[in-house]
Amino acid sequence: MAKKLSVVKKSISLRKDVFETAEEMADKYFGGNFSAYLTYLVCADKFGLTRVQQSEEVVQAKEEIKASVTNFKKSEEANSYIDSILNI
Amino acid sequence: MSDIIMGIDVGYSHTKTVTSKRKDIFRSTVREGVIDLNPHAIVIEYEGQKLTIGERGTITINEDKINDPVFEPLLMTAILRNADENLTNYSINLVTGLPIAWYPKQKDRLKDFLQNKHITIGYKGKDRNIHIKDCLVFPQSAGLALTSPKDFEEGRTNLVIDIGGLTVDVSYYEGRRLVKYDSWQLGMLKFYDKLRTAINGEFNVEVDDQDVERFIEEGKITYKQKQYDFNFDKYFKQHMNDIVTKVKTAFPWDIVHKITFVGGGSLRFQDYIPVKGGIECDLIQSNAEAFYNVGVQKFG
């Protein structure tokens, strides 16, 4: 049988209007289970399973940010920029 | 033992770390002794003394990092939290930073202070030997050109405003050339101080920065077990206005291609930032990410 992952309990603070929207979504799509809705949002953010409609430009920009941070590639251009800053 | 590249931004409010495996953040506070009540507190043994890191404790606003007594414990904690805890010997290639206006004067001293440093710190029941094999010091707010190179192509102009714990660092670029920079002490600790004074005066209490943060999150002041309204909005607007006025008098504002607010303070002030359309980035970790990328370029 698969090992059950442990669950962490935390208190969170939300702005009232944000909470009301989240509660409405949790009621509508997750049978009122607020934790399940938050889990969905976090997973959507992490794995990209979002239902939020985003323009291609936004998706592209986000991919570029992810790539530049996690897959920074060494280059002559980056090297000369770093050197110019280090020599201020 | 392989060398680990780490980008560590020891901020006056929070310490941020980026490695190839993770991003990490904890509050930049140091307190002597151990808080027994909190089993999750970070405890290190530094120079024979037990220190609790990241809980309520001392925040310093010393402009000289080398002589700031909390700087080294925070830096070593950042290293230990992000290294393999099964090991006891670490060899680190470190990139860390300074506010951009202090950078030219302090960078060499800070580099000399850290480079080839050997130190033993007690952490999680074992003595850990840290060797900072190589070190570079990079200015805060200068990293966006690395993470978003397209926005810094020739012919593009950028104004980057980094609202940090103590300082607001501003840098202006033409292409990839850093043309002008400045730092002002208008960061979050200064903002919290204004709020603290106002709250203490109105409610006749003694609150600290961490209480102020909590009140902002709740949108109310808790006093004698009741919650009261407080005009946070007025103070947010005033402080943002102070920052923008300073920047506008010293830098091009209306004629730049992009104005980007970064730093943890920008997240807190996001509803009050007067311009939209800045470069998208991780507001809190942008400096540590840039430092890490500098490390990959130079040590990788």
Side-chain angles (χ1 to χ4, degrees), chain B residues 69-107:
Chain B
V70 305
F71 173 71
E72 194 170 82
L74 292 172
L75 183 73
M76 296 306 155
T77 301
I79 291 173
L80 290 170
R81 275 169 62 92
N82 292 284
D84 184 347
E85 66 180 59
N86 294 317
L87 304 177
T88 50
N89 295 307
Y90 307 106
S91 177
I92 308 295
N93 283 326
L94 171 71
V95 183
T96 188
L98 285 166
I100 199 159
W102 306 344
Y103 178 74
K105 280 190 180 171
Q106 290 191 26
K107 63 173 177 168

Side-chain angles (χ1 to χ4, degrees), chain A residues 15 62 64-65 68-69 72-75 77-79 81-83 85-88, chain B residues 103 107 137 139 142 145 147 150 173 176 178 181 271 280 289 293 296-298 300:
Chain A
R15 222 170 59 187
K62 284 190 173 173
E64 280 176 15
I65 289 165
S68 67
V69 170
F72 173 77
K73 294 272 192 304
K74 291 164 76 167
S75 68
E77 202 182 19
N79 201 47
Y81 172 70
I82 291 168
D83 286 341
I85 297 293
L86 291 174
N87 292 324
I88 289 175
Chain B
Y103 178 74
K107 63 173 177 168
V137 180
T147 47
K150 280 187 182 168
Y173 297 83
R176 286 189 156 215
L178 175 58
Y181 56 88
D271 293 339
E280 273 198 61
E289 275 173 14
N293 289 344
V296 170
Q297 178 70 43
K298 292 294 186 184

Side-chain angles (χ1 to χ4, degrees), chain B:
Chain B
M1 181 173 52
S2 59
D3 302 331
I4 309 163
I5 298 171
M6 290 190 176
I8 302 179
D9 178 14
V10 183
Y12 290 91
S13 174
H14 288 82
T15 298
K16 286 82 64 178
T17 308
V18 173
T19 67
S20 62
K21 292 190 177 142
R22 59 180 294 206
K23 294 178 182 180
D24 180 43
I25 182 167
F26 60 89
R27 200 182 281 278
S28 295
T29 57
V30 175
R31 175 175 163 159
E32 286 180 15
V34 180
I35 305 168
D36 292 329
L37 293 174
N38 184 355
H40 301 297
I42 313 161
V43 178
I44 64 166
E45 195 165 336
Y46 174 80
E47 294 181 344
Q49 189 173 33
K50 287 206 164 146
L51 301 175
T52 301
I53 311 288
E55 305 293 323
R56 278 178 187 265
T58 307
I59 291 179
T60 64
I61 49 169
N62 196 331
E63 291 179 19
D64 185 351
K65 294 259 185 198
I66 299 166
N67 292 319
D68 184 341
V70 305
F71 173 71
E72 194 170 82
L74 292 172
L75 183 73
M76 296 306 155
T77 301
I79 291 173
L80 290 170
R81 275 169 62 92
N82 292 284
D84 184 347
E85 66 180 59
N86 294 317
L87 304 177
T88 50
N89 295 307
Y90 307 106
S91 177
I92 308 295
N93 283 326
L94 171 71
V95 183
T96 188
L98 285 166
I100 199 159
W102 306 344
Y103 178 74
K105 280 190 180 171
Q106 290 191 26
K107 63 173 177 168
D108 291 336
R109 278 200 306 130
L110 184 58
K111 184 179 170 174
D112 292 345
F113 175 68
L114 292 171
Q115 185 140 342
N116 203 25
K117 180 181 275 287
H118 290 266
I119 190 166
T120 300
I121 307 276
Y123 180 67
K124 294 199 173 177
K126 288 180 188 167
D127 278 347
R128 318 276 176 166
N129 304 307
I130 299 169
H131 175 210
I132 300 177
K133 190 177 168 191
D134 212 339
C135 173
L136 284 172
V137 180
F138 203 71
Q140 288 162 10
S141 81
L144 266 188
L146 284 176
T147 47
S148 305
K150 280 187 182 168
D151 286 297
F152 288 80
E153 283 174 352
E154 206 50 45
R156 306 279 299 172
T157 53
N158 276 281
L159 193 57
V160 182
I161 302 165
D162 180 350
I163 307 180
L166 179 63
T167 57
V168 172
D169 297 325
V170 186
S171 40
Y172 171 65
Y173 297 83
E174 290 175 1
R176 286 189 156 215
R177 280 185 313 284
L178 175 58
V179 176
K180 190 175 179 186
Y181 56 88
D182 213 335
S183 296
W184 298 294
Q185 292 200 8
L186 283 171
M188 294 309 290
L189 297 175
K190 295 284 172 178
F191 174 62
Y192 290 152
D193 198 48
K194 284 183 198 169
L195 275 176
R196 204 169 52 78
T197 307
I199 293 166
N200 287 346
E202 192 170 324
F203 292 89
N204 195 23
V205 286
E206 275 289 331
V207 296
D208 64 20
D209 289 349
Q210 285 156 42
D211 299 317
V212 171
E213 265 191 348
R214 185 165 49 84
F215 291 152
I216 292 171
E217 273 166 23
E218 291 172 356
K220 303 262 183 194
I221 306 291
T222 306
Y223 177 63
K224 291 190 176 176
Q225 301 176 59
K226 286 185 181 169
Q227 291 209 303
Y228 294 88
D229 288 331
F230 186 80
N231 194 353
F232 290 105
D233 196 51
K234 179 179 99 178
Y235 290 91
F236 270 100
K237 282 180 180 163
Q238 267 177 7
H239 195 75
M240 179 50 77
N241 192 45
D242 289 347
I243 292 171
V244 170
T245 304
K246 275 269 189 194
V247 177
K248 278 184 172 175
T249 54
F251 289 88
W253 179 271
D254 293 323
I255 55 169
V256 289
H257 287 98
K258 280 195 175 175
I259 299 174
T260 305
F261 280 79
V262 298
S266 298
L267 202 61
R268 185 65 86 193
F269 270 88
Q270 62 183 346
D271 293 339
Y272 300 88
I273 290 172
V275 288
K276 304 285 172 213
I279 298 165
E280 273 198 61
C281 61
D282 183 332
L283 295 179
I284 294 172
Q285 292 280 9
S286 60
N287 283 321
E289 275 173 14
F291 299 163
Y292 173 71
N293 289 344
V294 170
V296 170
Q297 178 70 43
K298 292 294 186 184
F299 305 131

